Amino acid sequence: MAIYLLPFFSLILFLQLSIHVRASALTTAIGANERLCFYADVDKAGEKIGFYFAVQAGGSFDIDFDVKDPAEKVLLDGVRERQGDYVLTANTVGEYAFCFENDMSTLTEKLIDFDIMVESEPRREPPAKPGQISEHTSALEESIFRLNGMLQNIKRTQK
């Protein structure tokens, strides 16, 4: 009986792993002469936005991109970039646009992996002086928060 259940459990494990992998980054194809935009909402000013992309296939493995704030002000842009990893501070509440443009190519489709992360976790204020414990934040909690930020940077770098 256990031999018959082994393929079933293997399939469930495979599906769980594949769902986890898909959740970490998005992949999209951008046709020749096409512009494609993705959007992220920022709920409050001061939040951090992580933006990562890498061209996986097509042409010279390069793409044009730009990032705009809710007022249509260009925050980042690049021409014929192969990959990028950026962290921005959102100074304006609203919808940020992350656009890729493949207008340099007349025939070739590009395949791009990308990830957009908005830090929406509530941040606690650090103690006023080192070693001072505030009523809401302990030294251990502050250390954990800093470690979490460093791990997120390592995760983006590995992607």
Side-chain angles (χ1 to χ4, degrees):
M1 182 73 160
I3 295 173
Y4 296 113
L5 293 178
L6 184 60
F8 176 72
F9 289 121
S10 297
L11 177 64
I12 289 176
L13 179 64
F14 174 75
L15 289 174
Q16 286 178 338
L17 289 175
S18 66
I19 289 170
H20 178 69
V21 170
R22 270 188 261 142
S24 65
L26 300 172
T27 302
T28 188
I30 300 177
N33 295 315
E34 185 178 6
R35 180 176 173 85
L36 193 56
C37 295
F38 299 89
Y39 301 91
D41 285 320
V42 172
D43 297 332
K44 60 183 176 183
E47 289 185 336
K48 299 290 182 190
I49 301 173
F51 174 52
Y52 160 82
F53 72 91
V55 181
Q56 299 299 320
S60 298
F61 294 89
D62 57 356
I63 196 81
D64 296 346
F65 77 95
D66 61 62
V67 177
K68 294 181 181 176
D69 70 3
E72 297 290 320
K73 178 183 172 190
V74 176
L75 302 175
L76 283 174
D77 63 348
V79 177
R80 297 183 183 259
E81 299 285 333
R82 293 176 180 229
Q83 66 181 26
D85 189 9
Y86 305 95
V87 177
L88 310 165
T89 300
N91 295 320
T92 309
V93 174
E95 190 174 69
Y96 285 72
F98 301 82
C99 300
F100 298 104
E101 192 165 358
N102 190 17
D103 65 347
M104 81 217 42
S105 179
T106 56
L107 300 172
T108 307
E109 177 180 88
K110 306 280 175 92
L111 187 65
I112 299 175
D113 286 342
F114 70 97
D115 195 3
I116 302 168
M117 298 160 287
V118 177
E119 176 191 80
S120 57
E121 298 174 4
R123 262 194 178 189
R124 295 191 173 147
E125 293 298 319
K129 297 178 186 173
Q132 178 184 357
I133 306 286
S134 79
E135 62 185 71
H136 298 292
T137 305
S138 71
L140 179 60
E141 287 176 320
E142 190 60 34
S143 295
I144 291 171
F145 181 76
R146 276 183 287 195
L147 284 171
N148 182 42
M150 288 186 264
L151 286 172
Q152 292 299 327
N153 285 339
I154 291 170
K155 181 180 172 184
R156 277 195 294 274
T157 300
Q158 287 178 337
K159 286 181 185 176

